[in-house]
């Protein structure tokens, strides 16, 4: 019961409204619940520390948690396959409720005299992990013909001029701009 993710709230719930600031860094996966994903997928770095900076405030029957959570992540560029690392910082504004009704899927439970921030931090970070990250906005990718990294070199391959590819290219650039 020594995890910094476990925040005692008995006093806060007795004294409504009251609040405390909670700031800490601790392993994202303290419980080792998560299998590392395949290297090609975006993932939180194994054993990385998540940083939590939130205000924990009581209301009648529950606790509101507002602030930011951050964790380093890794992935590979979807155009050139270069490894990427970054820091994901996510704003959070969540409720913890005493005697949480099962139909309330928007809130987390107050567990006895504690709230456990770990699940909330996992949810916030996993939701925001970039699914198809780019090493940089204007990554040129690899040449589809010779495989050269177009960020580092140019090749003499001619782009396919088959008009059927034009539609596909248009779709691709739509896809890119939705990132
Ligand atoms: Zn790239
Ligand atoms: Zn080429």
């Amino acid at each position: 019961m020594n995890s910094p993710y476990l925040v005692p709230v008995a006093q806060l719930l007795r004294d409504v409204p009251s609040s405390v600031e909670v700031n800490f860094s601790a392993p994202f996966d303290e419980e080792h619940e998560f299998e590392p994903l395949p290297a090609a997928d975006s993932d939180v770095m194994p054993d990385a520390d998540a940083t939590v900076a939130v205000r924990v405030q009581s209301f009648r029957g529950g606790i509101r948690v507002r602030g930011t959570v951050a964790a380093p992540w890794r992935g590979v560029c979807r155009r050139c396959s270069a490894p990427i690392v970054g820091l994901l910082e996510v704003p959070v504004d969540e409720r913890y409720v005493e005697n949480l009704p099962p139909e309330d899927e928007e809130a987390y439970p107050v567990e006895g005299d504690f709230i456990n921030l770990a699940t909330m931090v996992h949810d916030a970070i996993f939701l925001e992990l970039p699914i198809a990250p780019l090493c940089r906005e204007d990554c040129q990718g690899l040449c589809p013909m010779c495989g050269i990294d177009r960020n580092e070199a140019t090749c003499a391959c001619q782009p396919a001029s088959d008009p059927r590819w034009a539609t596909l290219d248009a779709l691709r650039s739509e896809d890119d701009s939705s990132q």
Side-chain angles (χ1 to χ4, degrees):
M1 287 296 263
N2 240 339
S3 165
Y5 287 100
L6 289 175
V7 179
V9 294
Q11 184 64 46
L12 293 173
L13 287 168
R14 270 196 296 272
D15 189 10
V16 175
S18 59
S19 67
V20 290
E21 299 286 340
V22 175
N23 298 288
F24 64 87
S25 289
F28 177 79
D29 187 12
E30 208 172 45
E31 306 288 329
H32 300 286
E33 307 178 49
F34 305 113
E35 295 286 328
L37 294 173
D41 287 339
S42 297
D43 196 5
V44 174
M45 300 215 246
D47 307 319
D49 274 3
T51 302
V52 175
V54 291
R55 171 171 287 268
V56 173
Q57 184 168 34
S58 59
F59 58 86
R60 206 152 291 290
I63 299 284
R64 184 177 182 185
V65 176
R66 252 183 308 178
T68 56
V69 302
W73 64 280
R74 61 163 179 79
V76 293
C77 176
R78 74 186 143 108
R79 288 192 197 142
C80 74
S81 302
I84 315 173
V85 292
L87 181 71
L88 199 57
E89 200 173 63
V90 183
V92 291
D93 186 351
E94 301 293 341
R95 285 178 310 128
Y96 284 74
V97 177
E98 289 182 290
N99 309 312
L100 179 67
E103 67 273 15
D104 189 346
E105 290 173 357
E106 302 285 295
Y108 296 91
V110 174
E111 299 167 49
D113 291 339
F114 292 88
I115 59 173
N116 186 349
L117 298 179
T119 313
M120 186 272 290
V121 169
H122 297 156
D123 290 350
I125 296 292
F126 279 130
L127 264 178
E128 294 296 322
L129 273 180
I131 292 161
L134 292 175
C135 63
R136 55 180 212 229
E137 250 344 282
D138 62 347
C139 173
Q140 302 298 306
L142 305 178
C143 171
M145 278 168 274
C146 70
I148 207 169
D149 185 343
R150 288 165 166 168
N151 297 308
E152 287 171 3
T154 45
C155 55
C157 303
Q158 294 296 317
S161 58
D162 187 325
R164 283 174 300 174
W165 296 116
T167 325
L168 191 63
D169 285 341
L171 283 175
R172 272 207 193 111
S173 57
E174 252 170 51
D175 189 47
D176 288 356
S177 58
S178 68
Q179 252 304 301

